[in-house]
Every structure is written in structure tokens, then in C-alpha cells.
Amino acid sequence: CWEDAVEAYDRGLAGIVLSNHGGRQLDFARSGIEVLVEVVEKLKVMRGLTFPNDTFQLFVDGGVRRATDVLKAVALGATAGTCLLCSVQRSI
């Protein structure tokens, strides 16, 4: 998954959404918030990015059950996280 994030950055995209696309039906699918840490680390090491930034934004859609999960995602580097009833965005 981090490989796709690096490719998206290299191709000039403004950001990505980390999602497992309804993966709750699969016991082994990682959620977006689980992948976030890996993506942030790889983009830092391979491209020198730190988060948050205006160049490449990360949104998390998965692994979020309550507002505190959104805050955790933002603290881990996401621009924003979403759940059914809550959304928090970091102001840059």
C-alpha cells in the first residue's frame, strides 16, 4: 500500500485516501488508520515529506469508529479522518 502512496506523490497527485473499501467483510484486511503509520514513514524516508504539508495530503477512511479515532489519525499525520458521524480536519 505504501508503494501506491509513493507513486501517487511521484505522479504529482495532491493526496490520497487510505481505505480498505469495505474490508470489514475480510478478517485480514488492514484498515486505513493501520496503513497510515507505514505510509507516513515511507514518504518521510523515501521523499523527505513531513506531515501535515500542502503538497501531499493523506485522508483516512477506515479504522475510524469514533471522534477520538479521527484525532489519532490526525496526530499520526493524516490531513483528516472520516467516520459516519464525525469529521475533523487539521488546519494548515
Side-chain angles (χ1 to χ4, degrees):
C1 184
W2 65 265
E3 296 92 346
D4 295 330
V6 171
E7 183 175 349
Y9 175 76
D10 289 346
R11 291 181 181 256
L13 275 68
I16 58 172
V17 176
L18 301 173
S19 175
N20 61 6
H21 303 290
R24 64 180 164 263
Q25 288 83 8
L26 304 171
D27 291 340
F28 53 86
R30 296 190 306 161
S31 68
I33 201 164
E34 290 176 318
V35 174
L36 174 64
V37 175
E38 181 178 290
V39 168
V40 168
E41 179 62 29
K42 292 295 184 177
L43 284 168
K44 180 180 180 182
V45 170
M46 298 180 77
R47 299 298 182 265
L49 289 178
T50 57
F51 293 91
N53 68 65
D54 292 329
T55 307
F56 193 72
Q57 298 185 8
L58 301 173
F59 295 89
V60 175
D61 178 32
V64 178
R65 302 282 185 257
R66 56 189 65 87
T68 55
D69 294 332
V70 175
L71 296 174
K72 290 173 191 175
V74 170
L76 291 171
T79 303
T82 61
C83 65
L84 291 176
L85 300 173
C86 56
S87 178
V88 173
Q89 183 173 356
R90 181 190 305 243
S91 61
I92 299 175

